[in-house]
Amino acid sequence: MTMTPPASNPPLLDIRDLVVSVQGRKVLNGLNLTVRAGEVHAIMGPNGAGKSTLSNVLAGRADYTIEGGQVHYHGEDLLSLPAEQRARRGLFLGFQYPVEIPGVNNVYLLKAALNARRLQQGLPEVDAFEFLALVRDKMKLMQMDESFLHRGVNEGFSGGEKKRNEILQMTVLEPTLAILDETDSGLDIDALKVVANGVNSLKGPDRAIVLVTHYQRLLDHIVPDHVHVLAAGRILKSGDRHLALELERRGYDWVLEEAAA
Amino acid sequence: MSARAESTSPLARLAGALASTPGARKLALAALAELALPNSRDDAWKYGATRLLDRRDLAPLAPKPVDLAALNARPALDAHRIVLVDGRLRPDLGSLDAPGVTLTDDLPSDLSTDPAFFGDPQSVDDRLRFLNGALCPSRVTLAIAADTCIERPIEIVLIATGNTAYPRLVVELGQHASVSLIEWHLGVGSTESLMIAHEDIHLAAGATLHHATLEQSGSRALAFGDIRARLAADSHYRHQWVALGGQHNRLDLQVSLEGAGAHATLTGLFMADTGSDHHLRTRIEHRAAHTGSDQRYRGVAGGRGRGSYDGKIVVHPGAQKTSSRQSSRNLLLGREAEIDTRPQLEINADDVKCSHGATTGTLDPQMEFYLLSRGLDPNAARALLTYAFVGDILKDLKPAALRQAIETQVLTRLPDAALLREFVA
């Protein structure tokens, strides 16, 4: 296997000067980020820095106002696509707080999601038998109980179960770009390893993973190629995995001070 | 009453038109002439469009031939069957042959001998009962003998042929008897019809009645149903209301818990849309200690649909250790849709557990975004959430063939039914 020099690899996600406001308040203020296939990025930052806003804007949530800038995904104008089109093109958001939807079966939602993606790819609908085998396989990876098959979406799930369910969905849908918003929050160390395993299983030369996280500990298990500090609505500093360790040791203040200087 | 007033009152006109009616109910007809139809100024009729009644001819006409297609359009169930066409029992269309079950068809001879049959004409709550009592062509009584358990459900099919129908039913269960009734209200296509149906239910000690009322009338049908159930000790009444059809529906459901251990479980859903309004009014009376009631209703309104839930629980003095729950959750799918709720509690005992809650809202945007973020089409996502909203009411319907049929009917009212069907399987 030959390694492709990263710079010659066209960007999968290219964010330029993104400015976003929520109810008149600017949350992202000129954010730039380039993510190429095969890479794992970690976006870290203090609370209120705009991390979740970035995740939600990329996934297509409606309650944000794009004030300026551009986002290209596979060379396409991402911001002009509705949320469902982004998902069908292989963009996946792992939610920080996955919502409970009683009455909507967990597995049928997954099947509908997979078929929506396959339709976009020009593939036939998944065979029901093969689908179940696939889901069972991934559930084993995520150490999820058989009962999850029959429950409503996240209905009555614990915090950790919800996060596992997000990663289960991701491993079945095999997105091209996975954005995982604080997937590590609320997980104990065993669950963290299971979730990390699931994420690592998705790594590949054609995909990219963006981990949005507050803490370094997830990065012990999922090793990032690039680490960015998001604060005050912008990427203030970028580096390799060692930056995450430094942030763990020193906190975020020094980055803010450095940026202000 | 002045001649002018007489000419404008629908009930007076009706009484005049039927003056030559033979039999003892003449007195009732005469009394009608002095009464007014319920209207929205009456508290009990606050919701719904009683004015629609004013415009209809209230006089029953000679029955029209039955459209068997309408009768057979309902799902085939393995059940006994009783059919009433425009309020008249039609033994030729039904079949009921089970030991311990008797079906009688009679009419009280006089207003004075059976006042309960007519109700109190001065009470606005009884106004339509009085009208039904004066005009019903027969009283059909289904009696289940004590200690009899009827395994096959009994279907009761009420058809309005485009006429004005006044069905009157009585259901009596002896001690420890049990039966399941599936009651259909059917109309014929888009024919204008009016059905004012009154039902009295008596459960003796230890009896169990499962009763589903399925409102499936035609697009120009007005239906006013009234069920009054009396429950003796340790009896259980379970009622399910599914209102999907008709131009304007109203159900008044009164349950009187009269013996210790009596319990009522009342659930239901309506789906209103432009040209199809649904109104439910429940009155639960806890008259004995250790009685329980549990109400769970869902309403959905789209377009310019209207709906309402007006539910009152009364705990009478001495009805200690009563447990009563009431929940009405409603979903508005359009800006012009409207659902009104009025939950009420009146508690006259100190050792009781009562809870009530009524909500009306739109689809949860977080749930909607979650589904979109998984690639679902926006229409499909909304339909799925709408279905999920009513799904837990539907899943209690029995037998399975009935549940599936009603699920299909609900699905076909939503976009992307084919996709949704997967979720229901």
Side-chain angles (χ1 to χ4, degrees):
Chain A
M1 188 175 144
T2 55
M3 291 291 287
T4 315
S8 69
N9 198 351
L12 184 59
L13 180 73
D14 195 22
I15 306 176
R16 288 280 150 251
D17 303 319
L18 184 62
V19 180
V20 175
S21 67
V22 184
Q23 290 169 339
R25 194 175 66 89
K26 265 192 192 140
V27 180
L28 296 182
N29 201 358
L31 187 138
N32 291 289
L33 180 69
T34 303
V35 177
R36 296 171 201 279
E39 295 177 344
V40 176
H41 288 243
I43 296 179
M44 303 183 72
N47 287 327
K51 301 193 299 293
S52 283
T53 298
L54 176 63
S55 308
N56 284 318
V57 164
L58 293 176
R61 199 178 190 120
D63 16 350
Y64 297 91
T65 310
I66 312 292
E67 306 264 4
Q70 287 181 325
V71 179
H72 285 96
Y73 171 68
H74 272 308
E76 220 177 338
D77 177 10
L78 185 73
L79 300 178
S80 69
L81 295 173
E84 70 279 8
Q85 296 289 352
R86 302 181 194 190
R88 291 172 196 171
R89 283 163 168 77
L91 188 149
F92 178 90
L93 172 64
F95 284 78
Q96 182 179 8
Y97 301 110
V99 66
E100 296 192 22
I101 314 182
V104 175
N105 179 282
N106 204 28
V107 169
Y108 284 113
L109 171 61
L110 192 47
K111 191 173 167 206
L114 182 60
N115 280 332
R117 175 118 167 82
R118 288 174 66 92
L119 190 70
Q120 178 75 27
Q121 292 169 319
L123 297 169
E125 289 203 351
V126 64
D127 171 80
F129 188 76
E130 284 172 23
F131 172 74
L132 214 55
L134 171 71
V135 171
R136 287 218 159 91
D137 191 38
K138 302 293 186 191
M139 280 174 69
K140 206 178 289 174
L141 175 72
M142 295 312 296
Q143 298 182 14
M144 286 167 81
D145 196 75
E146 184 85 349
S147 69
F148 282 84
L149 285 172
H150 311 290
R151 288 160 73 176
V153 175
N154 295 317
E155 189 180 0
F157 288 20
S158 71
E161 286 171 338
K162 285 178 184 170
K163 297 299 176 74
R164 279 185 207 209
N165 195 41
E166 293 293 289
I167 304 303
L168 171 75
Q169 294 182 11
M170 184 191 76
T171 58
V172 170
L173 297 174
E174 299 189 327
T176 312
L177 176 63
I179 299 159
L180 304 179
D181 188 6
E182 306 263 1
T183 296
D184 52 334
S185 67
L187 293 182
D188 61 33
I189 189 69
D190 293 323
L192 187 72
K193 281 182 188 164
V194 171
V195 162
N197 255 342
V199 175
N200 285 327
S201 76
L202 189 80
K203 278 192 196 168
D206 302 326
R207 307 177 202 291
I209 297 165
V210 176
L211 303 166
V212 175
T213 180
H214 191 69
Y215 298 106
Q216 196 273 334
R217 64 173 194 162
L218 179 67
L219 308 180
D220 287 339
H221 304 279
I222 308 167
V223 179
D225 303 299
H226 302 275
V227 174
H228 311 275
V229 178
L230 170 56
R234 289 158 61 202
I235 301 289
L236 292 187
K237 191 175 183 67
S238 297
D240 62 11
R241 57 175 305 206
H242 297 103
L243 175 58
L245 294 167
E246 195 174 359
L247 290 168
E248 181 79 354
R249 228 177 30 246
R250 299 176 61 189
Y252 291 106
D253 286 349
W254 65 276
V255 183
L256 293 167
E257 286 159 15
E258 216 177 77
Chain B
M1 188 177 273
S2 73
R4 189 165 172 275
E6 243 171 317
S7 68
T8 54
S9 154
L11 290 179
R13 278 204 307 276
L14 177 67
L18 297 176
S20 61
T21 303
R25 285 187 297 165
K26 263 192 171 174
L27 276 175
L29 285 171
L32 272 183
E34 304 298 323
L35 302 175
L37 283 168
N39 69 62
S40 57
R41 285 186 303 278
D42 300 315
D43 189 64
W45 296 83
K46 187 170 156 64
Y47 305 116
T50 44
R51 65 191 150 69
L52 290 170
L53 264 179
D54 300 339
R55 296 189 201 135
R56 293 293 173 98
D57 185 358
L58 298 172
L61 305 169
K64 293 179 186 173
V66 195
D67 183 347
L68 287 177
L71 180 60
N72 296 328
R74 73 191 202 292
L77 301 175
D78 177 24
H80 301 288
R81 191 165 66 236
I82 299 167
V83 179
L84 276 76
V85 176
D86 295 337
R88 287 178 175 78
L89 183 64
R90 288 285 300 267
D92 56 314
L93 296 174
S95 68
L96 176 61
D97 182 16
V101 181
T102 49
L103 189 65
T104 52
D105 182 8
D106 70 347
L107 208 52
S109 56
D110 197 325
L111 187 56
S112 60
T113 59
D114 195 350
F117 178 80
F118 294 94
D120 173 6
Q122 297 313 316
S123 157
V124 74
D125 280 359
D126 280 356
R127 199 62 51 80
L128 292 188
R129 185 178 181 83
F130 196 80
L131 183 62
N132 175 289
L135 297 171
C136 65
S138 73
R139 170 171 66 181
V140 176
T141 303
L142 174 70
I144 314 293
D147 301 309
T148 305
C149 170
I150 308 297
E151 295 288 343
R152 277 172 92 201
I154 299 174
E155 278 186 286
I156 300 177
V157 185
L158 306 183
I159 303 180
T161 63
N163 205 328
T164 299
Y166 296 94
R168 175 63 73 98
L169 282 161
V170 179
V171 177
E172 289 172 342
L173 270 66
Q175 290 193 7
H176 301 285
S178 76
V179 69
S180 172
L181 301 180
I182 299 168
E183 181 180 327
W184 299 94
H185 293 183
L186 304 178
V188 181
S190 58
T191 317
E192 201 168 85
S193 68
L194 168 64
M195 176 140 62
I196 296 177
H198 276 241
E199 247 167 294
D200 293 316
I201 291 169
H202 303 286
L203 304 190
T208 302
L209 175 62
H210 285 197
H211 183 195
T213 303
L214 306 162
E215 189 51 66
Q216 314 245 300
S217 300
S219 58
R220 291 175 70 205
L222 308 186
F224 294 84
D226 189 312
I227 297 173
R228 299 182 184 191
R230 295 175 60 187
L231 279 62
D234 298 317
S235 63
H236 186 191
Y237 180 50
R238 180 191 184 102
H239 183 259
Q240 293 165 300
W241 182 61
V242 181
L244 300 176
Q247 178 187 351
H248 187 278
N249 268 304
R250 171 173 164 129
L251 176 66
D252 276 87
L253 179 55
Q254 295 183 27
V255 178
S256 176
L257 300 142
E258 300 178 353
H263 192 95
T265 308
L266 314 171
T267 62
L269 73 96
F270 64 78
M271 293 183 83
D273 212 327
T274 305
S276 162
D277 295 356
H278 301 283
H279 302 276
L280 175 67
R281 184 168 180 262
T282 66
R283 289 294 179 267
I284 315 300
E285 309 262 354
H286 290 267
R287 295 181 187 274
H290 296 279
T291 51
S293 67
D294 198 348
Q295 295 180 71
R296 202 159 43 92
Y297 290 102
R298 299 279 184 276
V300 178
R304 289 194 302 279
R306 293 276 179 282
S308 69
Y309 169 78
D310 179 349
K312 186 171 184 177
I313 298 165
V314 181
V315 179
H316 288 261
Q320 303 292 9
K321 307 284 180 193
T322 283
S323 140
S324 190
R325 289 195 297 171
Q326 182 196 54
S327 147
S328 161
R329 290 179 51 205
N330 302 286
L331 180 61
L332 298 174
L333 297 177
R335 298 166 70 92
E336 291 179 273
E338 183 181 320
I339 298 178
D340 298 296
T341 61
R342 185 161 62 158
Q344 300 170 78
L345 280 175
E346 186 185 312
I347 301 176
N348 301 298
D350 53 13
D351 186 12
V352 302
K353 269 190 217 159
C354 293
S355 68
H356 70 154
T359 60
T360 302
T362 54
L363 287 174
D364 182 337
Q366 289 199 56
M367 292 186 190
E368 217 175 314
F369 178 63
Y370 192 88
L371 297 179
L372 298 180
S373 80
R374 297 301 179 250
L376 264 65
D377 175 79
N379 283 330
R382 282 190 284 273
L384 185 54
L385 291 174
T386 306
Y387 189 81
F389 184 78
V390 298
D392 71 323
I393 299 288
L394 294 172
K395 75 177 180 348
D396 293 335
L397 285 169
K398 282 181 184 129
L402 175 66
R403 175 177 52 77
Q404 284 157 8
I406 301 296
E407 282 174 349
T408 301
Q409 289 182 359
V410 171
L411 284 174
T412 51
R413 295 172 68 116
L414 299 168
D416 288 286
L419 171 75
L420 297 191
R421 197 172 295 276
E422 290 253 312
F423 287 84
V424 177

